[in-house]
Amino acid sequence: MTLVAGVDSSTQSCKVVVRDAETGELVREGRASHPDGTEVHPSHWWDALQSALADAGGLDGVEALSIAGQQHGMVCLDESGEVVREALLWNDTRSAAAAAELTDEVGAEQWATRMGVVPVASFTITKLRWLAQHEPENARRTAAVCLPHDWLTWRLRGSGDLADLVTDRSDASGTGYFDSVTNEYAPDLLALAIGRSDVVLPRVLGASEWADGPVRLGPGAGDNAAAMLGVGGGVVVSLGTSGVVTATADVRAADPSGIVAGFADATGRYLPLACTLNAARVLDATARMLGVDLTRLSELALSAPPGAEGVVMVPYLEGERTPNLPGSTGALHGLTLTNATPANIARAAVEGMLCGQAVGLDALIAQGADVSGVRLVGGAAVSQAVREIAPTVFGVPVTVPAPGEYVADGAARQAAWTLTAADNPPEWSSSESTVFEADAVPEVRARYAEAAQKFLNR
Ligand SMILES: Nc1ncnc2c1ncn2[C@@H]1O[C@H](COP(=O)(O)OP(=O)(O)O)[C@@H](O)[C@H]1O
Ligand SMILES: O=C(CO)[C@@H](O)[C@H](O)COP(=O)(O)O
């Protein structure tokens, strides 16, 4: 049996799957935690990768490995390959002012047509502008910039030479300085951010190209592109640390409002994507607030009626990216003496988190996506309340694949692809899934929109 490994180095943890390259059958797996925070030294990801690989029984018998990871994080390296400062992650909002400046300087229309994205604090390019403005010495020492998955692949290669940095088209498309239509970097935009264009950027590998390492190393991918490879297509809603709505497209999205980012996928096509900073951790925080665990939170949410008797949660607990409100905070609206119960608050948290994703779903539809159903993945897709309430909010059937690590699976499928000379990734049999259907409850969306509007009006 030929084995391949896939890695998901995500915000909260590192997960490894080892699968049969031909059938996709799961052979072994492992995981390890990442530290909290929006500023993390990449060495923690390396340590977690080592632990997760050991937990998965190591690389014995593995012929190829690909790493998928959280997108956008800024990893700066000096001339000798040392990390210059802690990486700023996708959910670090300190570069919000830099994002606004870059948008003004180039124009939102121009960004959307040229790069497929309009800068928000999540994107690497805005973090580079922040670095140049606030830590000029660190900016000066920066000889190369890469993304979390690029850095881990490079460390596995063990070379130390900046010229050996590699990435893939999906993750490069989330930097703000890579054009996924021409497949070229934009040195002028890089210079606009950091003041110079002589910074080494990773070579962008083809979808099934590979680099040398302890085993064959695939190009890797942004976690959302890998999830798409893992679930095998469709409209995907991922509820991890981030809330993400994606589909696959033949043409790059160009949305000057910035809600839909026109990223690339991991197969040579495109991945229109809407992303919130707030998803699974809204439920974590609500459970903490109510003094219950996540199972009890789900039971409480399901014991309240749709609409939570008027309680609405706007879940901008970490600021927000969609809509672009990096400085916002969360709020509970509509509380009265009679509806202020744990059950209604639990339901409002689930509904609020899902309404945030429904906004992204609408934006994807406006960009031409055909949404007759969605596939739900990510940590919070395990929640029974989320599964049952999702169709009432989205207004379409919700398919939940068997619990699994779909990002790591997508990376493993890419690794298997590097072992073939085929035009497409190998066809692996899909896991069993459960479909959740329910009548739409449009009032929930309407009341949420009314409450969320109060933030936009501030
Ligand atoms: N039963 C559950 N109900 C709700 N949320 C859950 C449940 N199990 C795990 N989660 C949440 O899933 C999140 C982790 O999901 P994951 O997709 O691994 O995140 P990431 O990819 O961003 O690291 C955590 O916030 C965790 O609390
Ligand atoms: O910023 C984005 C997508 O644009 C996020 O989706 C990150 O890629 C982090 O993903 P998770 O760790 O939440 O899966």
mmCIF file with all atom_site columns, all heavy atoms in Angstrom, residues 8 10-13 15 31 90 223 239-242 280-281 283-284 294-295 378-380 382-383 405, ligand 1:
data_model
loop_
_atom_site.group_PDB
_atom_site.id
_atom_site.type_symbol
_atom_site.label_atom_id
_atom_site.label_alt_id
_atom_site.label_comp_id
_atom_site.label_asym_id
_atom_site.label_entity_id
_atom_site.label_seq_id
_atom_site.pdbx_PDB_ins_code
_atom_site.Cartn_x
_atom_site.Cartn_y
_atom_site.Cartn_z
_atom_site.occupancy
_atom_site.B_iso_or_equiv
_atom_site.pdbx_formal_charge
_atom_site.auth_seq_id
_atom_site.auth_comp_id
_atom_site.auth_asym_id
_atom_site.auth_atom_id
_atom_site.pdbx_PDB_model_num
ATOM   1   N N   . ASP A 1 8   ? -3.047  19.736 8.297  1.00 0.00 ? 8   ASP A N   1
ATOM   2   C CA  . ASP A 1 8   ? -3.787  21.001 8.434  1.00 0.00 ? 8   ASP A CA  1
ATOM   3   C C   . ASP A 1 8   ? -3.176  21.755 9.606  1.00 0.00 ? 8   ASP A C   1
ATOM   4   O O   . ASP A 1 8   ? -3.427  21.413 10.766 1.00 0.00 ? 8   ASP A O   1
ATOM   5   C CB  . ASP A 1 8   ? -5.284  20.721 8.686  1.00 0.00 ? 8   ASP A CB  1
ATOM   6   C CG  . ASP A 1 8   ? -6.066  22.004 8.980  1.00 0.00 ? 8   ASP A CG  1
ATOM   7   O OD1 . ASP A 1 8   ? -5.526  23.108 8.737  1.00 0.00 ? 8   ASP A OD1 1
ATOM   8   O OD2 . ASP A 1 8   ? -7.221  21.893 9.449  1.00 0.00 ? 8   ASP A OD2 1
ATOM   9   N N   . SER A 1 10  ? -3.780  24.627 11.311 1.00 0.00 ? 10  SER A N   1
ATOM   10  C CA  . SER A 1 10  ? -4.854  25.633 11.368 1.00 0.00 ? 10  SER A CA  1
ATOM   11  C C   . SER A 1 10  ? -4.630  26.574 12.541 1.00 0.00 ? 10  SER A C   1
ATOM   12  O O   . SER A 1 10  ? -3.620  26.493 13.239 1.00 0.00 ? 10  SER A O   1
ATOM   13  C CB  . SER A 1 10  ? -6.213  24.943 11.475 1.00 0.00 ? 10  SER A CB  1
ATOM   14  O OG  . SER A 1 10  ? -6.358  24.385 12.755 1.00 0.00 ? 10  SER A OG  1
ATOM   15  N N   . THR A 1 11  ? -5.580  27.459 12.769 1.00 0.00 ? 11  THR A N   1
ATOM   16  C CA  . THR A 1 11  ? -5.405  28.460 13.814 1.00 0.00 ? 11  THR A CA  1
ATOM   17  C C   . THR A 1 11  ? -5.218  27.805 15.186 1.00 0.00 ? 11  THR A C   1
ATOM   18  O O   . THR A 1 11  ? -4.295  28.146 15.917 1.00 0.00 ? 11  THR A O   1
ATOM   19  C CB  . THR A 1 11  ? -6.627  29.396 13.854 1.00 0.00 ? 11  THR A CB  1
ATOM   20  O OG1 . THR A 1 11  ? -6.934  29.794 12.527 1.00 0.00 ? 11  THR A OG1 1
ATOM   21  C CG2 . THR A 1 11  ? -6.356  30.610 14.719 1.00 0.00 ? 11  THR A CG2 1
ATOM   22  N N   . GLN A 1 12  ? -6.086  26.837 15.510 1.00 0.00 ? 12  GLN A N   1
ATOM   23  C CA  . GLN A 1 12  ? -6.077  26.300 16.868 1.00 0.00 ? 12  GLN A CA  1
ATOM   24  C C   . GLN A 1 12  ? -5.221  25.055 17.041 1.00 0.00 ? 12  GLN A C   1
ATOM   25  O O   . GLN A 1 12  ? -4.884  24.703 18.162 1.00 0.00 ? 12  GLN A O   1
ATOM   26  C CB  . GLN A 1 12  ? -7.507  26.014 17.318 1.00 0.00 ? 12  GLN A CB  1
ATOM   27  C CG  . GLN A 1 12  ? -8.382  27.270 17.382 1.00 0.00 ? 12  GLN A CG  1
ATOM   28  C CD  . GLN A 1 12  ? -9.707  27.016 18.081 1.00 0.00 ? 12  GLN A CD  1
ATOM   29  O OE1 . GLN A 1 12  ? -9.758  26.394 19.137 1.00 0.00 ? 12  GLN A OE1 1
ATOM   30  N NE2 . GLN A 1 12  ? -10.796 27.513 17.506 1.00 0.00 ? 12  GLN A NE2 1
ATOM   31  N N   . SER A 1 13  ? -4.934  24.348 15.938 1.00 0.00 ? 13  SER A N   1
ATOM   32  C CA  . SER A 1 13  ? -4.226  23.074 16.105 1.00 0.00 ? 13  SER A CA  1
ATOM   33  C C   . SER A 1 13  ? -3.586  22.595 14.814 1.00 0.00 ? 13  SER A C   1
ATOM   34  O O   . SER A 1 13  ? -3.813  23.173 13.753 1.00 0.00 ? 13  SER A O   1
ATOM   35  C CB  . SER A 1 13  ? -5.200  22.002 16.612 1.00 0.00 ? 13  SER A CB  1
ATOM   36  O OG  . SER A 1 13  ? -6.258  21.854 15.686 1.00 0.00 ? 13  SER A OG  1
ATOM   37  N N   . LYS A 1 15  ? -3.257  19.091 12.539 1.00 0.00 ? 15  LYS A N   1
ATOM   38  C CA  . LYS A 1 15  ? -3.829  17.757 12.379 1.00 0.00 ? 15  LYS A CA  1
ATOM   39  C C   . LYS A 1 15  ? -3.114  17.058 11.235 1.00 0.00 ? 15  LYS A C   1
ATOM   40  O O   . LYS A 1 15  ? -2.827  17.687 10.213 1.00 0.00 ? 15  LYS A O   1
ATOM   41  C CB  . LYS A 1 15  ? -5.323  17.839 12.049 1.00 0.00 ? 15  LYS A CB  1
ATOM   42  C CG  . LYS A 1 15  ? -6.134  18.643 13.064 1.00 0.00 ? 15  LYS A CG  1
ATOM   43  C CD  . LYS A 1 15  ? -6.924  19.740 12.390 1.00 0.00 ? 15  LYS A CD  1
ATOM   44  C CE  . LYS A 1 15  ? -7.515  20.688 13.396 1.00 0.00 ? 15  LYS A CE  1
ATOM   45  N NZ  . LYS A 1 15  ? -8.237  21.808 12.804 1.00 0.00 ? 15  LYS A NZ  1
ATOM   46  N N   . ARG A 1 31  ? -2.755  14.677 16.158 1.00 0.00 ? 31  ARG A N   1
ATOM   47  C CA  . ARG A 1 31  ? -2.993  16.123 16.283 1.00 0.00 ? 31  ARG A CA  1
ATOM   48  C C   . ARG A 1 31  ? -2.217  16.696 17.454 1.00 0.00 ? 31  ARG A C   1
ATOM   49  O O   . ARG A 1 31  ? -1.778  15.975 18.355 1.00 0.00 ? 31  ARG A O   1
ATOM   50  C CB  . ARG A 1 31  ? -4.483  16.432 16.410 1.00 0.00 ? 31  ARG A CB  1
ATOM   51  C CG  . ARG A 1 31  ? -5.161  15.892 17.665 1.00 0.00 ? 31  ARG A CG  1
ATOM   52  C CD  . ARG A 1 31  ? -6.658  16.135 17.598 1.00 0.00 ? 31  ARG A CD  1
ATOM   53  N NE  . ARG A 1 31  ? -6.984  17.544 17.566 1.00 0.00 ? 31  ARG A NE  1
ATOM   54  C CZ  . ARG A 1 31  ? -7.937  18.074 16.786 1.00 0.00 ? 31  ARG A CZ  1
ATOM   55  N NH1 . ARG A 1 31  ? -8.652  17.315 15.979 1.00 0.00 ? 31  ARG A NH1 1
ATOM   56  N NH2 . ARG A 1 31  ? -8.189  19.359 16.821 1.00 0.00 ? 31  ARG A NH2 1
ATOM   57  N N   . TRP A 1 90  ? -4.100  35.793 10.362 1.00 0.00 ? 90  TRP A N   1
ATOM   58  C CA  . TRP A 1 90  ? -5.238  36.280 9.573  1.00 0.00 ? 90  TRP A CA  1
ATOM   59  C C   . TRP A 1 90  ? -6.267  37.011 10.434 1.00 0.00 ? 90  TRP A C   1
ATOM   60  O O   . TRP A 1 90  ? -6.971  37.884 9.942  1.00 0.00 ? 90  TRP A O   1
ATOM   61  C CB  . TRP A 1 90  ? -5.908  35.081 8.865  1.00 0.00 ? 90  TRP A CB  1
ATOM   62  C CG  . TRP A 1 90  ? -6.482  34.100 9.855  1.00 0.00 ? 90  TRP A CG  1
ATOM   63  C CD1 . TRP A 1 90  ? -5.810  33.130 10.535 1.00 0.00 ? 90  TRP A CD1 1
ATOM   64  C CD2 . TRP A 1 90  ? -7.839  34.035 10.326 1.00 0.00 ? 90  TRP A CD2 1
ATOM   65  N NE1 . TRP A 1 90  ? -6.650  32.466 11.394 1.00 0.00 ? 90  TRP A NE1 1
ATOM   66  C CE2 . TRP A 1 90  ? -7.892  32.993 11.286 1.00 0.00 ? 90  TRP A CE2 1
ATOM   67  C CE3 . TRP A 1 90  ? -8.998  34.745 10.025 1.00 0.00 ? 90  TRP A CE3 1
ATOM   68  C CZ2 . TRP A 1 90  ? -9.078  32.654 11.943 1.00 0.00 ? 90  TRP A CZ2 1
ATOM   69  C CZ3 . TRP A 1 90  ? -10.180 34.417 10.678 1.00 0.00 ? 90  TRP A CZ3 1
ATOM   70  C CH2 . TRP A 1 90  ? -10.209 33.376 11.630 1.00 0.00 ? 90  TRP A CH2 1
ATOM   71  N N   . ASP A 1 223 ? -5.931  26.652 3.725  1.00 0.00 ? 223 ASP A N   1
ATOM   72  C CA  . ASP A 1 223 ? -6.802  25.621 4.319  1.00 0.00 ? 223 ASP A CA  1
ATOM   73  C C   . ASP A 1 223 ? -8.155  25.509 3.617  1.00 0.00 ? 223 ASP A C   1
ATOM   74  O O   . ASP A 1 223 ? -8.706  24.411 3.490  1.00 0.00 ? 223 ASP A O   1
ATOM   75  C CB  . ASP A 1 223 ? -6.959  25.809 5.830  1.00 0.00 ? 223 ASP A CB  1
ATOM   76  C CG  . ASP A 1 223 ? -7.453  27.175 6.249  1.00 0.00 ? 223 ASP A CG  1
ATOM   77  O OD1 . ASP A 1 223 ? -7.690  28.049 5.390  1.00 0.00 ? 223 ASP A OD1 1
ATOM   78  O OD2 . ASP A 1 223 ? -7.602  27.385 7.472  1.00 0.00 ? 223 ASP A OD2 1
ATOM   79  N N   . LEU A 1 239 ? -17.063 25.993 9.628  1.00 0.00 ? 239 LEU A N   1
ATOM   80  C CA  . LEU A 1 239 ? -17.196 26.690 10.912 1.00 0.00 ? 239 LEU A CA  1
ATOM   81  C C   . LEU A 1 239 ? -16.057 26.286 11.836 1.00 0.00 ? 239 LEU A C   1
ATOM   82  O O   . LEU A 1 239 ? -16.202 25.423 12.703 1.00 0.00 ? 239 LEU A O   1
ATOM   83  C CB  . LEU A 1 239 ? -18.549 26.357 11.546 1.00 0.00 ? 239 LEU A CB  1
ATOM   84  C CG  . LEU A 1 239 ? -19.768 26.733 10.697 1.00 0.00 ? 239 LEU A CG  1
ATOM   85  C CD1 . LEU A 1 239 ? -21.055 26.177 11.308 1.00 0.00 ? 239 LEU A CD1 1
ATOM   86  C CD2 . LEU A 1 239 ? -19.876 28.246 10.533 1.00 0.00 ? 239 LEU A CD2 1
ATOM   87  N N   . GLY A 1 240 ? -14.881 26.845 11.589 1.00 0.00 ? 240 GLY A N   1
ATOM   88  C CA  . GLY A 1 240 ? -13.742 26.661 12.482 1.00 0.00 ? 240 GLY A CA  1
ATOM   89  C C   . GLY A 1 240 ? -13.574 27.945 13.265 1.00 0.00 ? 240 GLY A C   1
ATOM   90  O O   . GLY A 1 240 ? -14.573 28.587 13.637 1.00 0.00 ? 240 GLY A O   1
ATOM   91  N N   . THR A 1 241 ? -12.312 28.338 13.517 1.00 0.00 ? 241 THR A N   1
ATOM   92  C CA  . THR A 1 241 ? -12.098 29.646 14.138 1.00 0.00 ? 241 THR A CA  1
ATOM   93  C C   . THR A 1 241 ? -12.738 30.696 13.227 1.00 0.00 ? 241 THR A C   1
ATOM   94  O O   . THR A 1 241 ? -13.489 31.566 13.680 1.00 0.00 ? 241 THR A O   1
ATOM   95  C CB  . THR A 1 241 ? -10.595 29.942 14.286 1.00 0.00 ? 241 THR A CB  1
ATOM   96  O OG1 . THR A 1 241 ? -9.958  28.788 14.820 1.00 0.00 ? 241 THR A OG1 1
ATOM   97  C CG2 . THR A 1 241 ? -10.355 31.146 15.179 1.00 0.00 ? 241 THR A CG2 1
ATOM   98  N N   . SER A 1 242 ? -12.424 30.577 11.919 1.00 0.00 ? 242 SER A N   1
ATOM   99  C CA  . SER A 1 242 ? -13.090 31.464 10.953 1.00 0.00 ? 242 SER A CA  1
ATOM   100 C C   . SER A 1 242 ? -14.371 30.797 10.463 1.00 0.00 ? 242 SER A C   1
ATOM   101 O O   . SER A 1 242 ? -14.496 29.574 10.506 1.00 0.00 ? 242 SER A O   1
ATOM   102 C CB  . SER A 1 242 ? -12.171 31.718 9.753  1.00 0.00 ? 242 SER A CB  1
ATOM   103 O OG  . SER A 1 242 ? -11.840 30.499 9.107  1.00 0.00 ? 242 SER A OG  1
ATOM   104 N N   . ALA A 1 280 ? -16.764 29.260 15.287 1.00 0.00 ? 280 ALA A N   1
ATOM   105 C CA  . ALA A 1 280 ? -16.863 28.283 16.389 1.00 0.00 ? 280 ALA A CA  1
ATOM   106 C C   . ALA A 1 280 ? -16.619 28.910 17.759 1.00 0.00 ? 280 ALA A C   1
ATOM   107 O O   . ALA A 1 280 ? -17.238 28.508 18.756 1.00 0.00 ? 280 ALA A O   1
ATOM   108 C CB  . ALA A 1 280 ? -15.857 27.149 16.154 1.00 0.00 ? 280 ALA A CB  1
ATOM   109 N N   . ARG A 1 281 ? -15.758 29.919 17.821 1.00 0.00 ? 281 ARG A N   1
ATOM   110 C CA  . ARG A 1 281 ? -15.434 30.470 19.142 1.00 0.00 ? 281 ARG A CA  1
ATOM   111 C C   . ARG A 1 281 ? -16.556 31.333 19.712 1.00 0.00 ? 281 ARG A C   1
ATOM   112 O O   . ARG A 1 281 ? -16.532 31.663 20.898 1.00 0.00 ? 281 ARG A O   1
ATOM   113 C CB  . ARG A 1 281 ? -14.098 31.207 19.102 1.00 0.00 ? 281 ARG A CB  1
ATOM   114 C CG  . ARG A 1 281 ? -12.947 30.208 18.896 1.00 0.00 ? 281 ARG A CG  1
ATOM   115 C CD  . ARG A 1 281 ? -11.641 30.692 19.426 1.00 0.00 ? 281 ARG A CD  1
ATOM   116 N NE  . ARG A 1 281 ? -11.046 31.659 18.542 1.00 0.00 ? 281 ARG A NE  1
ATOM   117 C CZ  . ARG A 1 281 ? -9.733  31.822 18.387 1.00 0.00 ? 281 ARG A CZ  1
ATOM   118 N NH1 . ARG A 1 281 ? -8.876  31.060 19.059 1.00 0.00 ? 281 ARG A NH1 1
ATOM   119 N NH2 . ARG A 1 281 ? -9.262  32.729 17.578 1.00 0.00 ? 281 ARG A NH2 1
ATOM   120 N N   . LEU A 1 283 ? -19.485 30.106 19.887 1.00 0.00 ? 283 LEU A N   1
ATOM   121 C CA  . LEU A 1 283 ? -20.148 29.089 20.726 1.00 0.00 ? 283 LEU A CA  1
ATOM   122 C C   . LEU A 1 283 ? -19.302 28.786 21.961 1.00 0.00 ? 283 LEU A C   1
ATOM   123 O O   . LEU A 1 283 ? -19.850 28.628 23.061 1.00 0.00 ? 283 LEU A O   1
ATOM   124 C CB  . LEU A 1 283 ? -20.401 27.812 19.917 1.00 0.00 ? 283 LEU A CB  1
ATOM   125 C CG  . LEU A 1 283 ? -21.190 27.989 18.622 1.00 0.00 ? 283 LEU A CG  1
ATOM   126 C CD1 . LEU A 1 283 ? -21.563 26.636 18.029 1.00 0.00 ? 283 LEU A CD1 1
ATOM   127 C CD2 . LEU A 1 283 ? -22.455 28.821 18.839 1.00 0.00 ? 283 LEU A CD2 1
ATOM   128 N N   . ASP A 1 284 ? -17.986 28.742 21.791 1.00 0.00 ? 284 ASP A N   1
ATOM   129 C CA  . ASP A 1 284 ? -17.111 28.536 22.958 1.00 0.00 ? 284 ASP A CA  1
ATOM   130 C C   . ASP A 1 284 ? -17.374 29.631 23.998 1.00 0.00 ? 284 ASP A C   1
ATOM   131 O O   . ASP A 1 284 ? -17.520 29.364 25.193 1.00 0.00 ? 284 ASP A O   1
ATOM   132 C CB  . ASP A 1 284 ? -15.623 28.614 22.560 1.00 0.00 ? 284 ASP A CB  1
ATOM   133 C CG  . ASP A 1 284 ? -15.192 27.491 21.619 1.00 0.00 ? 284 ASP A CG  1
ATOM   134 O OD1 . ASP A 1 284 ? -15.902 26.489 21.521 1.00 0.00 ? 284 ASP A OD1 1
ATOM   135 O OD2 . ASP A 1 284 ? -14.131 27.642 20.979 1.00 0.00 ? 284 ASP A OD2 1
ATOM   136 N N   . LEU A 1 294 ? -20.147 22.385 25.558 1.00 0.00 ? 294 LEU A N   1
ATOM   137 C CA  . LEU A 1 294 ? -20.709 22.600 24.222 1.00 0.00 ? 294 LEU A CA  1
ATOM   138 C C   . LEU A 1 294 ? -21.905 21.684 23.931 1.00 0.00 ? 294 LEU A C   1
ATOM   139 O O   . LEU A 1 294 ? -22.816 22.050 23.190 1.00 0.00 ? 294 LEU A O   1
ATOM   140 C CB  . LEU A 1 294 ? -19.610 22.401 23.161 1.00 0.00 ? 294 LEU A CB  1
ATOM   141 C CG  . LEU A 1 294 ? -18.554 23.511 23.135 1.00 0.00 ? 294 LEU A CG  1
ATOM   142 C CD1 . LEU A 1 294 ? -17.337 23.105 22.305 1.00 0.00 ? 294 LEU A CD1 1
ATOM   143 C CD2 . LEU A 1 294 ? -19.148 24.811 22.583 1.00 0.00 ? 294 LEU A CD2 1
ATOM   144 N N   . THR A 1 295 ? -21.924 20.509 24.542 1.00 0.00 ? 295 THR A N   1
ATOM   145 C CA  . THR A 1 295 ? -23.068 19.603 24.347 1.00 0.00 ? 295 THR A CA  1
ATOM   146 C C   . THR A 1 295 ? -24.316 20.201 24.983 1.00 0.00 ? 295 THR A C   1
ATOM   147 O O   . THR A 1 295 ? -25.397 20.237 24.385 1.00 0.00 ? 295 THR A O   1
ATOM   148 C CB  . THR A 1 295 ? -22.757 18.223 24.977 1.00 0.00 ? 295 THR A CB  1
ATOM   149 O OG1 . THR A 1 295 ? -21.537 17.782 24.441 1.00 0.00 ? 295 THR A OG1 1
ATOM   150 C CG2 . THR A 1 295 ? -23.858 17.225 24.703 1.00 0.00 ? 295 THR A CG2 1
ATOM   151 N N   . GLY A 1 378 ? -15.829 21.744 9.533  1.00 0.00 ? 378 GLY A N   1
ATOM   152 C CA  . GLY A 1 378 ? -15.181 22.549 10.580 1.00 0.00 ? 378 GLY A CA  1
ATOM   153 C C   . GLY A 1 378 ? -15.638 22.090 11.962 1.00 0.00 ? 378 GLY A C   1
ATOM   154 O O   . GLY A 1 378 ? -16.632 21.366 12.103 1.00 0.00 ? 378 GLY A O   1
ATOM   155 N N   . GLY A 1 379 ? -14.896 22.516 12.990 1.00 0.00 ? 379 GLY A N   1
ATOM   156 C CA  . GLY A 1 379 ? -15.138 22.043 14.357 1.00 0.00 ? 379 GLY A CA  1
ATOM   157 C C   . GLY A 1 379 ? -16.574 22.183 14.828 1.00 0.00 ? 379 GLY A C   1
ATOM   158 O O   . GLY A 1 379 ? -17.124 21.277 15.463 1.00 0.00 ? 379 GLY A O   1
ATOM   159 N N   . ALA A 1 380 ? -17.231 23.307 14.525 1.00 0.00 ? 380 ALA A N   1
ATOM   160 C CA  . ALA A 1 380 ? -18.588 23.535 15.053 1.00 0.00 ? 380 ALA A CA  1
ATOM   161 C C   . ALA A 1 380 ? -19.659 22.771 14.271 1.00 0.00 ? 380 ALA A C   1
ATOM   162 O O   . ALA A 1 380 ? -20.827 22.746 14.683 1.00 0.00 ? 380 ALA A O   1
ATOM   163 C CB  . ALA A 1 380 ? -18.908 25.032 15.068 1.00 0.00 ? 380 ALA A CB  1
ATOM   164 N N   . VAL A 1 382 ? -19.886 19.776 14.286 1.00 0.00 ? 382 VAL A N   1
ATOM   165 C CA  . VAL A 1 382 ? -20.194 18.631 15.152 1.00 0.00 ? 382 VAL A CA  1
ATOM   166 C C   . VAL A 1 382 ? -21.440 18.917 15.999 1.00 0.00 ? 382 VAL A C   1
ATOM   167 O O   . VAL A 1 382 ? -22.143 18.013 16.441 1.00 0.00 ? 382 VAL A O   1
ATOM   168 C CB  . VAL A 1 382 ? -18.977 18.361 16.084 1.00 0.00 ? 382 VAL A CB  1
ATOM   169 C CG1 . VAL A 1 382 ? -19.269 17.297 17.112 1.00 0.00 ? 382 VAL A CG1 1
ATOM   170 C CG2 . VAL A 1 382 ? -17.763 17.975 15.250 1.00 0.00 ? 382 VAL A CG2 1
ATOM   171 N N   . SER A 1 383 ? -21.717 20.187 16.220 1.00 0.00 ? 383 SER A N   1
ATOM   172 C CA  . SER A 1 383 ? -22.822 20.577 17.102 1.00 0.00 ? 383 SER A CA  1
ATOM   173 C C   . SER A 1 383 ? -24.178 20.227 16.484 1.00 0.00 ? 383 SER A C   1
ATOM   174 O O   . SER A 1 383 ? -24.500 20.629 15.365 1.00 0.00 ? 383 SER A O   1
ATOM   175 C CB  . SER A 1 383 ? -22.738 22.086 17.367 1.00 0.00 ? 383 SER A CB  1
ATOM   176 O OG  . SER A 1 383 ? -23.992 22.581 17.774 1.00 0.00 ? 383 SER A OG  1
ATOM   177 N N   . GLU A 1 405 ? -11.250 15.350 9.258  1.00 0.00 ? 405 GLU A N   1
ATOM   178 C CA  . GLU A 1 405 ? -10.322 16.470 9.067  1.00 0.00 ? 405 GLU A CA  1
ATOM   179 C C   . GLU A 1 405 ? -10.233 16.756 7.573  1.00 0.00 ? 405 GLU A C   1
ATOM   180 O O   . GLU A 1 405 ? -9.315  16.294 6.890  1.00 0.00 ? 405 GLU A O   1
ATOM   181 C CB  . GLU A 1 405 ? -8.964  16.128 9.678  1.00 0.00 ? 405 GLU A CB  1
ATOM   182 C CG  . GLU A 1 405 ? -8.991  15.943 11.187 1.00 0.00 ? 405 GLU A CG  1
ATOM   183 C CD  . GLU A 1 405 ? -9.528  17.174 11.923 1.00 0.00 ? 405 GLU A CD  1
ATOM   184 O OE1 . GLU A 1 405 ? -9.543  18.266 11.338 1.00 0.00 ? 405 GLU A OE1 1
ATOM   185 O OE2 . GLU A 1 405 ? -9.951  17.024 13.084 1.00 0.00 ? 405 GLU A OE2 1
HETATM 186 N N1  . LIG B 2 .   ? -19.416 19.838 19.773 1.00 0.00 ? 1   LIG B N1  1
HETATM 187 C C1  . LIG B 2 .   ? -18.988 21.035 19.418 1.00 0.00 ? 1   LIG B C1  1
HETATM 188 N N2  . LIG B 2 .   ? -19.862 22.072 19.347 1.00 0.00 ? 1   LIG B N2  1
HETATM 189 C C2  . LIG B 2 .   ? -19.444 23.295 18.970 1.00 0.00 ? 1   LIG B C2  1
HETATM 190 N N3  . LIG B 2 .   ? -18.170 23.581 18.657 1.00 0.00 ? 1   LIG B N3  1
HETATM 191 C C3  . LIG B 2 .   ? -17.260 22.611 18.721 1.00 0.00 ? 1   LIG B C3  1
HETATM 192 C C4  . LIG B 2 .   ? -17.611 21.286 19.092 1.00 0.00 ? 1   LIG B C4  1
HETATM 193 N N4  . LIG B 2 .   ? -16.473 20.540 19.043 1.00 0.00 ? 1   LIG B N4  1
HETATM 194 C C5  . LIG B 2 .   ? -15.462 21.377 18.683 1.00 0.00 ? 1   LIG B C5  1
HETATM 195 N N5  . LIG B 2 .   ? -15.935 22.614 18.477 1.00 0.00 ? 1   LIG B N5  1
HETATM 196 C C6  . LIG B 2 .   ? -15.149 23.824 18.171 1.00 0.00 ? 1   LIG B C6  1
HETATM 197 O O1  . LIG B 2 .   ? -14.446 23.744 16.962 1.00 0.00 ? 1   LIG B O1  1
HETATM 198 C C7  . LIG B 2 .   ? -13.377 24.693 17.014 1.00 0.00 ? 1   LIG B C7  1
HETATM 199 C C8  . LIG B 2 .   ? -12.171 24.116 16.332 1.00 0.00 ? 1   LIG B C8  1
HETATM 200 O O2  . LIG B 2 .   ? -12.519 23.827 15.009 1.00 0.00 ? 1   LIG B O2  1
HETATM 201 P P1  . LIG B 2 .   ? -11.450 23.705 13.849 1.00 0.00 ? 1   LIG B P1  1
HETATM 202 O O3  . LIG B 2 .   ? -12.208 23.567 12.573 1.00 0.00 ? 1   LIG B O3  1
HETATM 203 O O4  . LIG B 2 .   ? -10.480 22.645 14.209 1.00 0.00 ? 1   LIG B O4  1
HETATM 204 O O5  . LIG B 2 .   ? -10.747 25.135 13.970 1.00 0.00 ? 1   LIG B O5  1
HETATM 205 P P2  . LIG B 2 .   ? -9.484  25.713 13.217 1.00 0.00 ? 1   LIG B P2  1
HETATM 206 O O6  . LIG B 2 .   ? -9.420  24.975 11.886 1.00 0.00 ? 1   LIG B O6  1
HETATM 207 O O7  . LIG B 2 .   ? -9.786  27.160 13.025 1.00 0.00 ? 1   LIG B O7  1
HETATM 208 O O8  . LIG B 2 .   ? -8.292  25.501 14.083 1.00 0.00 ? 1   LIG B O8  1
HETATM 209 C C9  . LIG B 2 .   ? -13.145 25.030 18.471 1.00 0.00 ? 1   LIG B C9  1
HETATM 210 O O9  . LIG B 2 .   ? -13.472 26.392 18.699 1.00 0.00 ? 1   LIG B O9  1
HETATM 211 C C10 . LIG B 2 .   ? -14.052 24.062 19.194 1.00 0.00 ? 1   LIG B C10 1
HETATM 212 O O10 . LIG B 2 .   ? -14.594 24.576 20.396 1.00 0.00 ? 1   LIG B O10 1
#
